[in-house]
Every structure is written in C-alpha cells, then in structure tokens.
Amino acid sequence: MKNLFLLGLFSVLAFSANAEEDEHGHGGHAGDVIIHAEGTELHIESGIPLANGGFLFESDFDLHNGHYESEAPGFDLETGYDFSIGNALAYSVQGPLQFWGGASWGSAGSDSVSIINGVEDEIIVNSSSSYDLSIIDVSTDGGVHTHVDFELSDNASNGAYLVELVLKGFSDSGLQTELFSSDSVFIAFNHGLSEELFELSVDAMSPVPVPAAWLFLASGLGSLLLGRRLRA
C-alpha cells in the first residue's frame, strides 16, 4: 500500500510540474489568444485563468532594428460560430500600463507600450491611459487570424509590463455597433528579467491553481486499487 501511495504521489507531482510549465509558458509564450463568438460574448479559450477574473498571457520584448518589440500573443478568432464576414474584432485598453520591478505591480511611470495593428493604427498605453479603442482586423471568413505589434518605449526600465485589454466585436470596421465583448485579457511582457523573476511577476497576478492534477491523482489511485482487487 505504501508503494501504491508513493507511485500515485510521484504521478501527480510530475503532472503538476508539467501543467505548471504549460500554464506559465516556460521557454516561450503562453500561446495565442484563442477566441470564439457565441451570443453576445467573445469566449477566451486559452491563456492562464486568474483568480480575480480574466486570462493572462505571457510574452517577451525582443530587440528588433533598435527597438524592443513583440508580435505575441496573436489573436485567433475561430470560424464556425456567431462572428460574421464583415464583422470587426477590436480591443479596448482597460486603464494604465502597470510595471513590476521585483516587489509588486504598480505605475509604469514614464514608460509606455505602443500597440500597432495591421493598418498601422497606434495606441500608446502609459501610466495615464484609460479605455482607448482600436480595430484589430475585419473578418473575411467568419474569423480573424492576425498579430498586432507591441513596442516598448526607448530606454524603458528592466522589469515586467502589464497591459489589460477587453476584446470587442463590431458589426463593421467603423466600430459603431458593438455586438460582442470578452473578459479581460492581461498580457505580461518580460523586459530584461530572468525567467525566475518574471515568473514571480506572473505569480503575483494570482493564477488559478491546477485542480486537474488532484483529479489525476484520485483517478490514478482508484485505478491502481481496482487493479489490486481484481488480482486478489
């Protein structure tokens, strides 16, 4: 019985480690923002769920042509749901840019992040931003599959930067009639931090624990117990 317990414990610890690695995007990004439209809602199907609501995505600012930029995460609104050809996917910035320098999230001071879409519209997110709205793309097939550019201001401090967006769907590119809205999408960008320090900033966002690991443990132990009874 002791061996049975140790085997089950080892299994759940291994599973938890893998799940945590997948959630936090070690060695890469937490993936694109995958969305589907249903009713009046844009459901977020990827990212790390947060205890206080919304979904967190991780990215990095990499040096390109003298500027720190990122094209991640991308935006993938799936076809086959309630989004129609000609509808427009947009984002609304929800408040100021946040900065994490090693202790807690707070004001980004004079630093800023520019969000540039495919038609070169630019929204600058800084410590005084509030509720700016801009288009991402117009659907040609009932979905949207694109990237926007995020660019960090020159000489920005090393640390993590946090942008909060709400995705919205409109009847057309004029963004006059809103049809859909999403939960908050938080994007945390790493600029010059080690992976360990960056993950501390992510943990400060209160990701939801992984309950699947404990379900896996219960399932595994149950299967092992059943096997012992059948052999008895």
Side-chain angles (χ1 to χ4, degrees):
M1 189 65 186
K2 179 180 178 182
N3 291 337
L4 176 65
F5 175 78
L6 290 175
L7 178 60
L9 181 61
F10 175 79
S11 298
V12 75
L13 290 174
F15 181 86
S16 298
N18 289 334
E20 188 76 7
E21 181 173 344
D22 289 342
E23 274 197 340
H24 282 192
H26 293 300
H29 305 296
D32 289 344
V33 182
I34 300 174
I35 317 140
H36 80 260
E38 187 173 0
T40 60
E41 297 184 15
L42 294 176
H43 296 279
I44 308 299
E45 301 293 333
S46 57
I48 304 168
L50 299 175
N52 293 324
F55 296 84
L56 177 65
F57 295 81
E58 299 175 34
S59 188
D60 300 282
F61 283 121
D62 298 315
L63 188 61
H64 296 287
N65 300 319
H67 299 284
Y68 284 96
E69 304 173 353
S70 177
E71 288 188 342
F75 296 87
D76 187 356
L77 195 155
E78 299 175 324
T79 58
Y81 292 93
D82 292 344
F83 214 76
S84 301
I85 295 173
N87 287 171
L89 180 65
Y91 66 86
S92 174
V93 176
Q94 301 293 296
L97 181 68
Q98 298 290 303
F99 175 75
W100 192 88
S104 61
W105 287 101
S107 172
S110 60
D111 297 332
S112 63
V113 171
S114 296
I115 308 176
I116 307 168
N117 63 15
V119 294
E120 300 303 317
D121 287 336
E122 181 177 0
I123 294 290
I124 297 177
V125 188
N126 54 34
S127 58
S128 60
S129 294
S130 60
Y131 309 107
D132 293 309
L133 179 68
S134 182
I135 192 169
I136 295 176
D137 206 353
V138 176
S139 176
T140 59
D141 61 359
V144 170
H145 316 279
T146 190
H147 289 261
V148 298
D149 294 327
F150 299 88
E151 183 175 318
L152 184 62
S153 57
D154 293 338
N155 303 313
S157 301
N158 286 352
Y161 291 84
L162 186 70
V163 174
E164 180 184 358
L165 308 175
V166 166
L167 303 182
K168 294 182 178 291
F170 291 84
S171 59
D172 56 50
S173 60
L175 308 185
Q176 296 299 310
T177 304
E178 182 178 322
L179 303 175
F180 309 94
S181 186
S182 77
D183 291 332
S184 287
V185 172
F186 296 90
I187 308 174
F189 297 93
N190 184 10
H191 177 57
L193 295 179
S194 68
E195 181 177 329
E196 290 77 16
L197 286 177
F198 181 57
E199 290 307 328
L200 287 178
S201 75
V202 171
D203 290 340
M205 292 290 295
S206 300
V208 173
V210 187
W214 302 107
L215 292 176
F216 180 82
L217 172 61
S219 174
L221 290 177
S223 297
L224 290 169
L225 285 170
L226 180 60
R228 287 173 63 91
R229 287 189 176 184
L230 290 175
R231 288 194 300 270

